[in-house]
Structures are given as C-alpha cells and as structure tokens.
Amino acid sequence: MSFTVAIIGRPNVGKSTLFNRLVGKRLALVDDTPGVTRDRREALARLGPFKFRIIDTAGLEEGKGDSLSARMWRQTEKAIEEADFSLFMIDARAGVTPLDRHFADILRKGNHPLLLLANKAEGRAGEQGLYEAYELGLGDPIPVSAEHGEGLAELIEGFDRMIFDLNLDSGEGEDDEVTSKSVDIVGEVTEEQESESEVDSGLPLQMAIVGRPNVGKSTLVNRLLGEDRQITGPEAGLTRDTIGITFDYQGREIRMFDTAGLRRKSRIQDKLEKLSVADTIRALNFAEVVVLMVDVTQPFERQDLNIASLIVQEGRALVIALNKYDLIENRQEVMKDIQYKLEHTLPQVKGIPLVPLSALTGRHVDKLMPAVFEAYRQWNRRISTAKLNKWLAATTEYHPAPSVKGKRIKLRYMTQVKTRPPTFAIFCNRPADVATSYQRYLINELRWDFDLPGVPIRLLLRGGDNPFAKKS
C-alpha cells in the first residue's frame, strides 16, 4: 500500500458510502440512522490510477471524559494520525452546520493535510451547501455524490495534487492482487488448497469472535492486539458492524473479525440491528475458526447454544472462550454445567475446547490462540483411505448396521473426500436405509478413534461398490 487516507466528518454525511465505493464492495454498514459506524474500519481502495489504504471512521461528535462520543473521537484521532491525508466530508444538502465548523477549526489548527468533500451534491439541492463550504477555510470543496459515483474525476484531481504536494507514492503499476491484509473479508479457500499441508502454508488464519451483546468481544480483540483498537464500554451493542483486523501472532498472520452481538430473533426489531446480525452471519461464512465468547457471570443461555449450533452448521472449527472467569467462585460447577449443556445440545461435536480467561485483565488470554491453532489443525485433518477402510471393517464387525426388512446393509468402502471440515464418504448397498442413529454412532466412533474433538464431521452415504476398484 502506497499511502493511507482517512474519511472523517460528522455523523450521516456519507462516509461509509464513499468507503464502500472506493473499496469496490459493501464492507461498511450503511443506513439513514446517524452514528452507524463506531469503530474505525480499513481496507484496500482504488481511485482511478491510485491504490491506497483507506480508513472509515465514526462520525465526529463532541464528548468529554469517558463518554461514548469521546471514545469514538479518540478512535478517529488515531485514524487521522495514521493517515497521510484525510477526506473531510460535509453534507451539501444540509449545508455547513455548527458541528462542521467546530471540527474544521480543530483540523485546521492541527495542520493535517486534507481534502474537503461536499457530498450529496448531485442536482441543485446541494448548490447552497457547496458554496457555504468555502467558509470553512479548508480549500476549494470537491462536489461528489458517494451514492451515485459522481464527482470522482474531480476527486482524482484532488488526489493528484495532494500526492504531488506530499511527495507520496501513488501506487500506480502495483500488482492488482489484493492481499489478505488489504480487505475486510476474503473469499473461501478452493478445494485444491484443502489439505493438511495448508495449516502451515503461510495463508492468514481467519478467525471470527462472536457471542451475545456485551460479553467482552471487543475487549478481547484489544487485548490480543495490545492496543485500544475497538471501542469498549459498559453499553451493550457498541460494535455494530463486522471489523476485520490483521495482526501477527508468534510469526503467524491472523485475520480477526470483531462482530456485533447476536440476540434472539424475537428481540431484534430495529432495522440497524438486523443489518448488524446479517453482517455477523456473513463473517461466519468466511471464518475458519470461530471463537464463541461467553460471559460466565451470567447463566449459559439457550442463545449461546443457538450460536454454537449455527457455527457447527456452517462447518467451522469452534472454540469457546469463558470470559470473566476470574469473577466467579464456583468455577468447577460452572465448567461442569457448560460441558453438560454442550454435550446434550451439540452431541455431534463432542470435545469442544473451553478456554477460561479474563479479557479485561489479560489472565489466561495467552491460552486462547494455542486452542485456536489446534482447532484449526483438527479442522484441516486428513486421514488416509487405508486407515479409514481398516477402521470401517473393524467398526462394522463390532457393531453392524441394523438390517432393514430382513435385508442386510453392507458398508463396503470409505474415503475422506475433503477437509475444512473433515468430510467422509461411505459407499454401501442401501444408503437411504442407514439409520440416523447408526450414522451418529459412526461419527462418534470416528471422532474417538482418530482423535477429532470439537470439529464438525460430515458423513456422506453413497450407493454402489468401491468406485476405485476398477481403476486399481
């Protein structure tokens, strides 16, 4: 990345809309509700010939002490410090507001390079606001429409001037490939990459942190990063959209997604919360390992189990982080209760790793990532066909499949067809008649005999003989 640009401005002026347009995909949530963005989000962007890192920030609002608006402003200040220059946006249709003037004064005194953008300037409705923008003393405003893509040619000219004045590398001629560090969510891995050797292939491990609202997800993210990267506080629902952050852990690149809290569907009425939940579900689709965070000072609720079940259905490796474990006295009882509920609600994934920790104090947080790496390794496990068929013969001899209407079911051949999660195919004479209970038995025996705790296992039943017999 050649240079970094931050988008700043008061709430609801269109910062996230411009961010999505420059990135070329819908990464940031966009809604008419002011203050949707609270944490800063970054990605690789492109404007004409320029390639750069762009940071979307929270709306500029005044706040004192440890108020939410003050915490949001501190995050924006960090983004401004990281950026080579900023795009200060106003709403041309609303005109220049006192809040615009207030923060323009702050930015002007800070002597930070910036371009002034008058957004929503399409049509005649934004003309008055465009003329008012000259009063801010931040140079000539550039009229744009982030929603409709108008004014981008003028914005390119503004970038050209800024790059020349600051002597920045424009990024022209760089490879078009987007690295994992540059995007918020990267695509799923192809089948050709699905092998155990991929565990140490150098590709970033993609990890999502999910859970109910206010269980400490963002606090854990900050603890792992060693900085106040995400806004935290006692208020529930501070994180509204999924934020992707890349960091290095003991030489391994990690792509971590901090997500919005998941409540029960019956409690979700607000449109913005529905968008946040959809964004979290999308993060699950791209994650490889999911850390389900639970507040152990609260009862282990059905919603926690529902989230765990959703992760298993998506076929992701699962690790459960038991946060605030240092605040409870009856630790053994709490641990036994959680294990009991998991075993009876999710019997298909016995052995889910549980990591007691305190995100606030950092106690035992160092045990989380080793558990994540182990879950990832198991998720990528591949077992040889020879071992599987030897196991199948011994298992069916000990406990044959129940006959149906006096007709015997013969399990003839077994192979692993994919990893991520481990998926196995068994060829038999009557696949439709194999009882669900017997399939569960096979999965449980497979998990026990090949040491596959906590990861989803897929079992496919196929008709016919050994498909490779003629080839061999």
Side-chain angles (χ1 to χ4, degrees):
M1 286 164 280
S2 52
F3 59 94
T4 301
V5 177
I7 307 177
I8 59 178
R10 63 178 177 81
N12 215 32
V13 296
K15 298 184 297 297
S16 294
T17 303
L18 179 63
F19 175 87
N20 288 341
R21 180 164 293 280
L22 295 178
V23 171
K25 60 181 70 175
R26 186 184 175 278
L27 295 182
L29 290 184
V30 176
D31 191 72
D32 293 335
T33 306
V36 172
T37 303
R38 286 174 172 169
D39 296 290
R40 66 187 193 270
R41 175 197 288 273
E42 57 187 64
L44 181 70
R46 183 164 190 166
L47 177 65
F50 306 122
K51 294 180 183 178
F52 52 96
R53 183 169 68 108
I54 192 163
I55 307 175
D56 186 21
T57 65
L60 299 175
E61 293 183 276
E62 285 192 284
K64 296 181 180 180
D66 202 38
S67 65
L68 176 57
S69 55
R71 281 174 275 157
M72 293 164 63
W73 166 242
R74 287 196 289 270
Q75 289 289 322
T76 300
E77 281 185 313
K78 290 180 181 179
I80 294 173
E81 291 172 3
E82 291 180 18
D84 293 289
F85 65 93
S86 299
L87 305 178
F88 181 49
M89 293 184 71
I90 69 165
D91 183 342
R93 293 184 176 236
V96 175
T97 68
L99 197 59
D100 292 325
R101 290 190 172 90
H102 172 73
F103 284 105
D105 290 340
I106 294 176
L107 294 168
R108 193 166 48 247
K109 292 175 182 177
N111 200 29
H112 179 72
L114 58 84
L115 294 174
L116 176 60
L117 272 58
N119 191 34
K120 307 179 187 179
E122 68 275 15
R124 301 184 61 181
E127 288 183 359
Q128 184 62 35
L130 177 62
Y131 297 142
E132 291 178 3
Y134 285 92
E135 302 172 6
L136 297 175
L138 298 175
D140 295 345
I142 301 174
V144 298
S145 172
E147 183 176 0
H148 301 289
E150 297 180 10
L152 296 184
E154 291 80 2
L155 187 56
I156 290 174
E157 293 179 2
F159 268 56
D160 198 36
R161 294 193 302 271
M162 189 64 69
I163 289 169
F164 179 79
D165 292 342
L166 300 177
N167 194 26
L168 300 174
D169 179 6
S170 68
E172 295 183 62
E174 291 182 357
D175 195 339
D176 284 337
E177 291 187 5
V178 179
T179 67
S180 61
K181 287 186 177 181
S182 308
V183 296
D184 244 322
I185 294 181
V186 296
E188 293 192 28
V189 184
T190 61
E191 290 187 5
E192 289 76 9
Q193 295 171 314
E194 292 177 341
S195 65
E196 190 170 356
S197 62
E198 189 190 43
V199 175
D200 299 313
S201 66
L203 293 173
L205 187 157
Q206 300 193 79
M207 177 179 76
I209 299 179
V210 303
R212 288 184 286 143
N214 213 32
V215 295
K217 298 183 293 296
S218 295
T219 303
L220 177 62
V221 169
N222 289 342
R223 177 64 61 178
L224 290 172
L225 296 176
E227 62 172 299
D228 291 335
R229 178 61 175 78
Q230 299 293 90
I231 294 177
T232 60
E235 304 93 341
L238 284 179
T239 302
R240 284 178 166 172
D241 52 356
T242 300
I243 304 295
I245 305 165
T246 301
F247 72 104
D248 181 88
Y249 184 86
Q250 297 183 354
R252 181 68 192 274
E253 187 178 3
I254 308 294
R255 186 65 175 164
M256 178 168 55
F257 302 100
D258 184 19
T259 65
L262 293 172
R263 297 197 300 165
R264 285 184 293 185
K265 286 184 178 180
S266 59
R267 296 184 179 178
I268 300 175
Q269 303 294 333
D270 182 64
K271 174 189 173 185
L272 181 55
E273 186 174 1
K274 291 180 180 179
L275 292 173
S276 298
V277 169
D279 211 31
T280 298
I281 301 302
R282 186 170 67 123
L284 289 181
N285 293 332
F286 290 101
E288 297 166 326
V289 180
V290 179
V291 176
L292 171 57
M293 200 157 188
V294 175
D295 182 348
V296 293
T297 63
Q298 303 174 8
F300 193 68
E301 295 184 354
R302 175 163 293 278
Q303 178 64 1
D304 296 312
L305 294 168
N306 289 339
I307 297 172
S309 179
L310 176 62
I311 295 167
V312 172
Q313 290 174 16
E314 293 293 331
R316 307 305 175 212
L318 173 61
V319 175
I320 297 182
L322 305 178
N323 193 28
K324 305 180 184 179
Y325 198 70
D326 55 327
L327 300 181
I328 59 174
E329 296 179 357
N330 54 336
R331 297 177 181 176
Q332 291 184 347
E333 293 181 13
V334 171
M335 182 70 78
K336 288 181 180 179
D337 178 65
I338 293 174
Q339 290 174 334
Y340 176 83
K341 289 179 178 178
L342 286 172
E343 288 179 3
H344 286 76
T345 307
L346 298 170
Q348 68 272 34
V349 280
K350 291 183 178 180
I352 297 173
L354 304 177
V355 183
L357 54 82
S358 172
L360 185 62
T361 65
R363 186 178 182 184
H364 297 322
V365 171
D366 59 329
K367 296 182 180 180
L368 178 63
M369 291 310 298
V372 168
F373 289 140
E374 176 60 20
Y376 181 72
R377 187 185 72 83
Q378 296 285 11
W379 194 59
N380 283 276
R381 278 279 301 278
R382 183 172 291 280
I383 303 170
S384 70
T385 300
K387 289 182 178 180
L388 288 172
N389 281 285
K390 184 177 180 181
W391 172 86
L392 181 65
T395 302
T396 54
E397 182 179 357
Y398 176 77
H399 184 183
S403 300
V404 178
K405 296 181 180 180
K407 295 183 179 180
R408 182 184 172 194
I409 295 177
K410 299 178 181 179
L411 305 183
R412 298 189 173 105
Y413 178 80
M414 183 176 184
T415 188
Q416 184 172 355
V417 293
K418 68 185 289 291
T419 60
R420 310 165 63 87
T423 303
F424 304 90
I426 295 180
F427 294 86
C428 59
N429 60 333
R430 303 168 65 85
D433 292 333
V434 179
T436 302
S437 59
Y438 190 74
Q439 294 180 44
R440 285 199 301 267
Y441 161 74
L442 291 175
I443 291 176
N444 289 334
E445 290 296 303
L446 190 67
R447 186 185 303 281
W448 176 263
D449 292 335
F450 288 102
D451 191 23
L452 291 167
V455 294
I457 294 177
R458 301 285 189 263
L459 188 63
L460 309 175
L461 296 173
R462 297 287 184 262
D465 298 323
N466 180 351
F468 302 105
K470 294 182 180 179
K471 294 183 180 180
S472 60

